[in-house]
């Protein structure tokens, strides 16, 4: 079976969040099941730099009048997984991120950048690339949302929602510039409150829709979380399924992680204490072995509940906790967190930016990982935390609800779950964590339980295999 996996990012070529982990993790797991899965993504400079075994590329012409385009075949470093890089220098060859420039402003031609990704994916589906043609197109998030529309049902397609909040909304005239007729500007097409929604195209024109957890699949069918697309999602409920994302334990495992100060296992946790000490030292925190150290690795946005954490800081310190946060995002959150850390440098450290190594070191060195998200399609950091014996403090929403079991559930407990998206809710859960932390034997038992959880990609890959098979019947 051959699958083309279209996404705007894939680890380790380019990553801003969980999508990149999924875009490399799922195809790798599918390959383990004998599927020929190839990833297609834009040839951003960093992706071109890091990709291995690049060929000369084949010419795709200038499909959107945006510049000459080539399709380069290459491989991911380490895993060797095959990738196709859509090389259109006029759209992608510039410094900055996949979505924003160095100042954090959205690229003004994002509609073209991602329409071209979608168009190239559809062209590979219909014309092939180097003689390779997939059986199924698997498009991800709004960046690849137009692909099922361009494809015009030439092949079966799956569309996965990683986050319904980001929809790729553009002006009506965009349709023409991405080679689509105005007839698509209807309620049953891609029109969304007077704009064009690339996300809606994916939802409307794909054969199957998935999202990254069963709870989120239910949530987005309601007005509170559906971001205006709940009606469409509810109407397509018969083809909508939630499949929980997985973890690449080759990268995220305290027993072999090279980024952390010492390796450890559930049976030998000495190394975890060393990871904590080393993290405290690196971040300038007081080197207190017994102060519960809370970690957070996150985009600093409203979704992630950063304001909830900010409101809870006094209480966090009152409980004797330390806090190590890594992330970037909205300037107001970056500066509020940084000022709080500057005011209490022995108790709180904030690293603003993107730092893969520090992300691993926080997962290993912290005692608890905070995930106070308002909504969370799947969430990966809590899955990593479980494997590192760092008990998640998580809101009961989306994939968090599907992966963290509150300690009140007895033997099954792996963390501290709370319902209200408020600082009181968060503090209540942290408080319960601190109480348990004071009982080392009980803490160890829950830690052990957390580390035993298996969220590997294999399970998700099997579910996707059945889905693809259904489409090919
Ligand atoms: P989202 O995709 O909504 O940002 P997820 O929890 O699904 O959230 O995935 C986040 C991924 O990005 C994880 O792999 C996490 O470790 C990583 N990450 C987030 N912020 C940073 C950062 N500042 N530095 C390094 N890794 C980060």
């Amino acid at each position: 079976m051959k699958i083309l996996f279209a996404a705007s990012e894939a680890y380790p070529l380019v990553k801003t969040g969980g999508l990149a982990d999924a875009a490399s993790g799922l195809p790798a797991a599918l390959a383990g099941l004998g599927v020929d899965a190839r990833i297609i993504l834009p040839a951003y400079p960093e992706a071109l730099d890091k990709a291995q075994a690049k060929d000369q590329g084949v010419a795709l012409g200038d499909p959107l009048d945006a510049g000459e385009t080539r399709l380069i075949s290459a491989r991911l470093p380490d895993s060797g997984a095959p990738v196709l890089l859509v090389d259109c220098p006029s759209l992608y060859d510039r410094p900055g991120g996949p979505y924003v420039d160095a100042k954090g402003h959205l690229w003004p031609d994002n509609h073209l950048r991602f329409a071209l990704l979608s168009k190239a994916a559809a062209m590979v589906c219909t014309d092939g690339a180097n003689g390779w043609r997939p059986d199924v197109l698997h498009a991800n998030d709004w960046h690849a949302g137009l692909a099922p529309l361009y494809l015009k049902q030439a092949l079966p397609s799956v569309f996965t929602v990683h986050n319904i909040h980001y929809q790729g909304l553009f002006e009506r005239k965009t349709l023409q510039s991405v080679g689509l007729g105005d007839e698509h500007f209807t309620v049953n097409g891609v029109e969304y409150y007077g704009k064009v929604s690339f996300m809606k195209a994916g939802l409307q024109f794909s054969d199957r829709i998935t999202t990254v957890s069963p709870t989120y699949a239910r949530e987005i069918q309601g007005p509170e979380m559906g971001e205006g697309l709940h009606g469409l999602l509810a109407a397509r409920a018969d083809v909508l399924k939630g499949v929980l994302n997985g973890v690449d334990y080759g990268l995220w495992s305290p027993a072999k992680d090279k980024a952390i100060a010492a390796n450890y296992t559930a049976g030998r946790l000495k190394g975890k204490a060393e990871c904590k000490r080393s993290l405290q030292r690196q971040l300038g925190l007081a080197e207190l072995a017994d102060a519960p150290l809370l970690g957070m690795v996150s985009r600093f946005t409203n979704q992630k509940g950063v304001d909830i954490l900010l409101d809870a800081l006094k209480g966090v310190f009152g409980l004797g906790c330390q806090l190590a946060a890594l992330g970037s995002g909205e300037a107001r959150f970056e500066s509020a967190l940084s000022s709080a850390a500057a005011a209490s440098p022995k108790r709180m450290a904030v690293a603003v930016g993107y730092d893969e190594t520090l992300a691993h070191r926080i997962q290993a060195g912290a005692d608890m990982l905070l995930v106070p998200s308002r909504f969370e399609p799947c969430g990966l950091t809590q899955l990593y935390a479980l494997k590192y014996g760092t008990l998640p403090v998580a809101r009961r929403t989306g994939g968090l609800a599907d992966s963290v079991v509150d300690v009140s559930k007895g033997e099954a407990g792996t963390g501290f779950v709370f319902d209200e998206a408020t600082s009181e809710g968060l503090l209540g859960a942290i408080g319960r964590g601190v109480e348990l932390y004071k009982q080392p034997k009980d803490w160890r038992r829950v830690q052990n339980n957390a580390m035993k959880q298996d969220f590997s990609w294999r399970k998700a890959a099997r579910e996707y295999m059945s889905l693809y098979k259904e489409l090919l019947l």
Side-chain angles (χ1 to χ4, degrees), residues 15 17-18 21 297-299 304 326-327 353-355 359 379-381 384:
K15 168 170 167 178
D21 292 351
V297 179
S298 181
R299 290 182 288 115
K304 300 291 183 179
L326 163 66
Y354 186 87
D355 186 339
L380 290 174
T381 60
Y384 302 152

Side-chain angles (χ1 to χ4, degrees), residues 88-303:
C88 177
S90 60
L91 291 183
Y92 306 129
D93 186 12
R94 53 181 86 154
Y99 320 114
V100 296
D101 65 17
K103 289 197 177 121
H105 300 131
L106 289 172
W107 293 115
D109 54 359
N110 269 343
H111 57 294
L112 286 171
R113 285 161 64 82
F114 296 109
L116 184 66
L117 167 66
S118 298
K119 184 74 182 177
M123 288 169 81
V124 173
C125 290
T126 50
D127 311 338
N130 286 336
W132 185 87
R133 216 169 73 96
D135 303 309
V136 176
L137 167 70
H138 189 156
N140 292 273
D141 262 355
W142 74 262
H143 324 98
L146 291 185
L149 174 54
Y150 285 130
L151 194 56
K152 296 204 187 95
Q153 297 191 308
L155 273 191
S157 59
V158 177
F159 181 69
T160 298
V161 177
H162 293 259
N163 194 333
I164 196 94
H165 180 66
Y166 301 98
Q167 293 196 8
L169 296 181
F170 302 101
E171 298 304 322
R172 180 176 186 161
K173 60 179 191 283
T174 301
L175 276 180
Q176 203 192 354
S177 64
V178 300
L180 292 166
D182 207 46
E183 72 273 13
H184 295 294
F185 197 73
T186 64
V187 172
N188 294 323
V190 301
E191 187 270 343
Y192 175 90
Y193 296 99
K195 300 235 162 149
V196 172
S197 162
F198 282 19
M199 174 71 88
K200 188 172 172 185
L203 298 177
Q204 201 77 271
F205 296 100
S206 55
D207 298 297
R208 290 282 195 285
I209 302 168
T210 72
T211 187
V212 289
S213 70
T215 296
Y216 194 60
R218 282 192 301 277
E219 288 171 344
I220 57 178
Q221 293 178 56
E224 212 178 299
M225 302 260 207
E227 302 270 353
L229 290 170
H230 50 281
L232 167 55
L233 285 159
R236 298 209 70 197
D238 55 331
V239 296
L240 166 64
K241 191 173 182 195
V243 180
L244 196 73
N245 273 340
V247 176
D248 182 344
Y249 289 122
L251 295 170
W252 294 96
S253 184
K256 50 188 175 207
D257 191 329
K258 292 197 184 74
I260 63 181
N263 292 115
Y264 59 92
T265 59
R268 263 187 77 82
L269 282 164
K270 228 178 82 202
K272 184 159 177 67
E274 206 171 315
C275 288
K276 178 171 178 177
R277 198 165 37 244
S278 163
L279 181 66
Q280 286 169 325
R281 189 167 308 160
Q282 176 184 352
L283 298 177
L285 296 169
E287 289 178 40
L288 301 170
D290 292 334
L293 174 51
L294 312 179
M296 186 169 187
V297 179
S298 181
R299 290 182 288 115
F300 291 158
T301 61
N302 197 54
Q303 174 197 339

